[in-house]
Amino acid sequence: MATTVTFSQEIGNLLHAAGGTPVSACMQCGTCSGTCPVGDFMDVRPQRLIRMIDAGFKDKVMATRAFWYCASCYQCTVRCPRGIDIAELMYGLKRYTIWKNQYPEDLIGPAFSETFVKNIVRTGRSYEPVLATSYFFTLGLKEMLSEAQNATMLMLKGRLPVLPARIKRLENFKRMIKRIIPIGD
Amino acid sequence: MTKKTFAYFPGCSLEKMAESYHLSTVEIARVMGMELKELEDWNCCGATAYFHVDELLAHTLCARNLAMAEKEGLDLVAPCSGCYKNMHACNAHLKKDHDLADHINFALEEDNLRYDGKIKVHHLIEVFSEDLKEVKAKATNPLTGLKVAPYYGCQILRPRKFEHENVEEPRYFEDLMTAIGATPVDFLLRLRCCGAALIITNRQAALSMVRNLLQNALDSGADVIATACPLCQVNLECYQDQVNAEFGTKYSVPVFYFTQLMGLSMGIPAKRLGIGTEFLSPPAAMLAACRKAAAV
Ligand code: SF4
Ligand code: SF4
Ligand code: SF4
Ligand code: SF4
């Protein structure tokens, strides 16, 4: 018999992969929301987000920015009385929206993560100036100026690399990646 | 006593942006009689970004580093809290999930590597905290009068790495500061997140988080904040101008690596500890120790 997986189950599976308790175990105690240092900046706080997932409100969940504002500090995770790994859930939701290609367009998070990833796959290392320029133009004017000011200061202090670092066995490294994601060149 | 040897994973940030963390680490390890063998051809652990995009590949990146350390027969030590957390978590997953380990080992073959789950992963601060007696004995230039706010941040402690780990009331950072003659202050927000990558992806949120930490450090009477992570250091130190512009404040709180403070207490000259590359200059009690260290 064909069964359709509900949204809540789909998200639950993301958590199972990380070894956490399913969201249905949530008792809505509010500890996660109360403890979250980014809560004030989220459109939906963790406790409510979990309720929304459990209720299967897929479209609403996909439209929130809350999980893209999660700093992965794991404060909620270590305090949840039900052992729900909320921080991993936030990671899971980020991956889920990238995978579905559905996230609010003005978010910097997804583009930033993708640039970071491309950089590692190319060189085996991350290179800060490349990162800076890739998100530079998505910033507002004020942030742009302050970023430039910081970059200048770091350079004066000798804290910016001139050349991107790369690992030595890069060819092996790239073939290793292809065994995980089998794609052509 | 036998010499302790570790496979050392500096991480991308320590190559340049946080070079002072690297330099001071190497210096104090030498004084402590600890050998840090830099992991040959290590790759980026993926930071948080990789886990946003693909979990399997993120674990593969970490596993390559674990495999190289295992080949040397050494436990891995990381000075960056992000690297530490990622590789610690990957290690735990691989030990538990044999299908995952098989899949990743299949990929590692391409680099003639394999990981059998035989090593442990430590944070740098942990390996020094374990030997407080030795630290105290080597601190011949104690940082008397220096009030330090020990900033743990998140990823050293969270998620919980060991079943009985005290993630709410840790003391080892304070104890380490006491061992080098400094005075740890009661820094209430010492476990509170600094905002991490939000400094780029949600500037407003991150600046407000940094402001809370700076204010709390000042309220607790600290002369300096000590960190054990390159990202904490950059967020707390390099964005103070932006915090001041945003909130009309006048913060100027120096932020140093715990290894730099340890190095000073051991009489190592400031320059060799990378002191001088910071945005905000050291407080008086640190400068006095710098002068004494130069005189030795
Ligand atoms: S802390 Fe856990 S149980 Fe409480 S509301 Fe949050 S997820 Fe639910
Ligand atoms: S991990 Fe994310 S959701 Fe949880 S407390 Fe930290 S910032 Fe908030
Ligand atoms: S967490 Fe940061 S510093 Fe550590 S390896 Fe990854 S990118 Fe480099
Ligand atoms: S305090 Fe900031 S940089 Fe440090 S571990 Fe937490 S989020 Fe990362």
Side-chain angles (χ1 to χ4, degrees):
Chain A
M1 197 182 75
T3 44
T4 323
V5 181
T6 65
F7 177 58
S8 167
Q9 282 168 335
E10 248 184 293
I11 299 301
N13 287 337
L14 292 173
L15 265 186
H16 277 303
T21 319
V23 288
S24 55
C26 171
M27 59 187 202
Q28 288 291 301
C29 68
T31 304
C32 50
S33 291
T35 204
C36 178
V38 203
D40 287 347
F41 296 88
M42 289 177 172
D43 46 358
V44 175
R45 287 176 196 254
Q47 174 196 3
R48 230 182 99 221
L49 188 68
I50 286 179
R51 182 82 200 90
M52 280 160 59
I53 295 167
D54 200 31
F57 295 163
K58 180 171 175 173
D59 295 342
K60 279 194 183 144
V61 172
M62 300 291 276
T64 63
R65 301 148 173 278
F67 43 89
W68 277 107
Y69 290 171
C70 165
S72 311
C73 77
Y74 290 89
Q75 191 62 265
C76 49
T77 295
V78 298
R79 288 188 178 163
C80 172
R82 285 297 168 93
I84 298 173
D85 195 339
I86 304 143
E88 285 298 333
L89 173 73
M90 299 290 185
Y91 268 119
L93 287 166
K94 286 172 182 162
R95 286 195 292 271
Y96 190 85
T97 51
I98 285 189
W99 171 39
K100 299 266 178 186
N101 203 17
Q102 278 181 35
Y103 43 79
E105 260 185 21
D106 58 318
L107 277 176
I108 299 176
F112 176 68
S113 293
E114 285 181 351
T115 312
F116 201 102
V117 162
K118 278 187 202 147
N119 212 29
I120 303 173
V121 173
R122 219 179 291 131
T123 66
R125 295 275 173 88
S126 85
Y127 180 46
E128 284 125 9
V130 172
L131 285 177
T133 43
S134 61
Y135 67 79
F136 200 72
F137 295 103
T138 58
L139 296 171
L141 184 63
K142 196 170 73 175
E143 284 85 8
M144 214 190 253
L145 289 174
S146 78
E147 240 4 68
Q149 177 197 332
N150 260 7
T152 313
M153 189 72 168
L154 284 169
M155 202 167 65
L156 289 174
K157 297 282 181 183
R159 285 168 66 175
L160 276 192
V162 184
L163 288 172
R166 48 174 74 229
I167 60 168
K168 292 186 207 118
R169 299 193 302 272
L170 192 56
E171 290 314 311
N172 292 358
F173 181 80
K174 286 184 175 167
R175 282 202 310 275
M176 171 188 92
I177 290 172
K178 275 193 194 145
R179 282 203 177 183
I180 296 291
I181 301 178
I183 40 158
D185 290 301
Chain B
M1 207 182 85
T2 50
K3 191 166 174 171
K4 276 194 207 160
T5 308
F6 294 97
Y8 172 61
F9 178 89
C12 312
S13 305
L14 267 73
E15 289 224 290
K16 204 72 195 166
M17 199 177 65
E19 200 181 7
S20 57
Y21 194 11
H22 171 71
L23 294 174
S24 50
T25 297
V26 171
E27 290 286 340
I28 61 172
R30 190 176 40 79
V31 175
M32 292 282 291
M34 189 185 288
E35 195 185 345
L36 297 179
K37 279 178 81 177
E38 183 166 334
L39 199 60
E40 197 262 324
D41 210 35
W42 55 270
N43 59 265
C44 175
C45 72
T48 48
Y50 229 115
F51 287 85
H52 291 169
V53 179
D54 187 288
E55 200 178 11
L56 180 59
L57 200 46
H59 282 309
T60 309
L61 294 178
C62 291
R64 181 173 176 270
N65 295 319
L66 296 175
M68 287 187 291
E70 188 177 81
K71 204 174 181 179
E72 301 272 324
L74 297 172
D75 283 348
L76 191 84
V77 59
C80 165
S81 300
C83 308
Y84 164 63
K85 180 242 144 186
N86 280 344
M87 283 186 289
H88 195 283
C90 173
N91 201 18
H93 275 302
L94 290 177
K95 286 185 186 185
K96 205 172 55 189
D97 185 340
H98 297 289
D99 295 333
L100 178 69
D102 284 348
H103 192 165
I104 288 179
N105 273 325
F106 167 69
L108 289 177
E109 278 174 13
E110 287 288 3
D111 198 24
N112 308 313
L113 290 167
R114 129 160 228 109
Y115 185 58
D116 286 315
K118 288 192 196 130
I119 64 156
K120 289 194 191 116
V121 177
H122 306 277
H123 189 283
L124 185 69
I125 196 167
E126 192 187 320
V127 302
F128 290 124
S129 310
E130 265 166 16
D131 211 350
L132 286 180
K133 248 195 219 144
E134 185 68 11
V135 172
K136 207 168 170 183
K138 300 285 190 215
T140 50
N141 184 30
L143 307 185
T144 319
L146 183 69
K147 290 195 220 113
V148 183
Y151 182 53
Y152 291 81
C154 331
Q155 324 269 319
I156 298 184
L157 296 158
R158 301 186 297 269
R160 193 187 297 277
K161 314 284 187 303
F162 317 97
E163 212 177 315
H164 298 292
E165 190 178 19
N166 188 346
V167 294
E168 300 282 359
E169 298 280 331
R171 286 300 306 173
Y172 57 83
F173 207 150
E174 280 83 354
D175 294 342
L176 191 59
M177 294 297 102
T178 306
I180 61 171
T183 312
V185 299
D186 288 328
F187 183 25
L188 220 63
L189 297 186
R190 68 210 170 110
L191 311 182
R192 190 98 170 151
C193 177
C194 71
L198 294 183
I199 202 77
I200 290 155
T201 59
N202 187 341
R203 180 61 59 97
Q204 246 201 325
L207 289 183
S208 118
M209 291 159 90
V210 171
R211 176 194 56 171
N212 291 343
L213 291 170
L214 295 173
Q215 184 58 48
N216 191 243
L218 284 183
D219 289 346
S220 62
D223 305 317
V224 59
I225 298 176
T227 76
C229 168
L231 301 183
C232 305
Q233 203 281 338
V234 168
N235 273 10
L236 287 179
E237 188 197 28
C238 305
Y239 287 89
Q240 289 192 31
D241 270 356
Q242 285 81 344
V243 167
N244 290 338
E246 182 82 16
F247 301 102
T249 46
K250 287 204 176 78
Y251 296 118
S252 177
V253 190
V255 186
F256 285 89
Y257 294 105
F258 77 97
T259 47
Q260 293 179 293
L261 300 182
M262 282 180 73
L264 266 187
S265 80
M266 294 171 179
I268 301 165
K271 195 154 183 256
R272 291 205 337 239
L273 301 169
I275 295 177
T277 58
E278 60 282 343
F279 284 24
L280 303 164
S281 6
M286 248 179 99
L287 286 173
C290 288
R291 278 192 295 275
K292 268 195 237 155
V296 196

